[in-house]
Each structure stands twice: as C-alpha cells, then as structure tokens.
Amino acid sequence: MATSYKGECFCGAVRVEATGAPEAMGYCHCGSCRSWSGGPVNAFTLWKPDAVRVTAGAENIATFKKTELSHRQYCKKCGGHLMTNHPPLGLVDVFAATLPMLRFSPGVHVNYAETVLPMRDGLPKLKDFPKEFGGSGEAVPE
C-alpha cells in the first residue's frame, strides 16, 4: 500500500491527502509564487491529480486564477493556502508546508532568474521552467 500524507489549511476546515510519491519537489522563485505565498520563495511538491484528494471541507475551498497555468486554492474560512492546480502540466502543487509529514527533498530551483533570495545549496538553478514544462530549460549559475 502506498504511503499517504495528510495536511490541512491554517484553521483545519479543509483537509487534504496526497498518496504515493511526488513527481518532483523544489523551489519556485517567480514573482507570482512569492506574492501568493508571502515569502521570498515557494517550496513546491508536484503530484499527479489522482494522487491528491480533499478529505474534508471541500465546500470551504475557493480558487483564484490569475492565469490558466495556475489555479490557486485556499480556504474561504481562514485564507490558508492549500495547493495550486496546473492543468496544462497535468500536475497539482501541494505546498510543502501543507503536508507536514512529507520529507521535503528539493531537486531543483525554477524561475531562479527572478530570485530575491539567492540559495547556495548545489541544486540545479533554472532560469525559468524545464523544457518539458514549456520553459527554456536553461540553467543559471548559483
């Protein structure tokens, strides 16, 4: 049986569960993620949509779509951020902080050309996105 990771919004009204292993984990440095997260970088975990389910409080989820690439979901009661659906990519980003028992093991930095917090951790730093996600795939120096 696959491992599952449970999490919830800030107030606990919405509960989510991710099963198996994420497709990728890393950091996003783009201005949109920084603005949405309220931090200098966003820690992401990407999952196939069928690996993520809302187990309680679906009626409390609201969605904000600034672009068709990112459908950001949050709790209507507390404003706690939960996840971002990326329909064109066929992936869901469940914010790393939403799944406290998941061992966060980042493998890449994306949109590093926009960083406001340089991170010298030896991980690959991509100017934008990997080629398979519509980006240049171009690496930038640490």
Side-chain angles (χ1 to χ4, degrees):
M1 185 159 181
T3 303
S4 67
Y5 303 95
K6 297 177 181 183
E8 58 188 30
C9 65
F10 190 61
C11 72
V14 179
R15 294 195 178 124
V16 297
E17 183 175 17
T19 303
E23 299 296 309
M25 291 188 257
Y27 300 105
C28 185
H29 295 261
C30 79
S32 288
C33 280
R34 291 195 322 266
S35 180
W36 180 255
S37 71
V41 66
N42 179 57
F44 64 81
T45 67
L46 297 174
W47 305 79
K48 296 282 188 188
D50 61 356
V52 178
R53 67 186 185 100
V54 175
T55 59
E59 69 278 7
N60 295 313
I61 296 177
T63 301
F64 176 76
K65 291 189 267 185
K66 185 175 182 179
T67 69
E68 284 307 312
L69 177 63
S70 299
H71 301 184
R72 300 173 191 275
Q73 295 186 310
Y74 61 95
C75 174
K76 291 188 279 189
K77 286 187 168 192
C78 68
H81 297 180
L82 298 161
M83 57 193 144
T84 299
N85 290 315
H86 297 293
L89 305 178
L91 295 167
V92 177
D93 171 8
V94 181
F95 303 123
T98 302
L99 302 172
M101 298 309 291
L102 175 68
R103 183 178 172 272
F104 182 65
S105 181
V108 66
H109 291 263
V110 297
N111 297 301
Y112 200 71
E114 298 180 46
T115 194
V116 296
L117 179 66
M119 299 172 77
R120 310 231 185 298
D121 57 10
L123 294 175
K125 312 289 190 289
L126 299 182
K127 174 184 172 184
D128 45 39
F129 286 112
K131 280 187 180 181
E132 56 267 38
F133 292 158
S136 70
E138 181 183 332
V140 295
E142 192 167 69

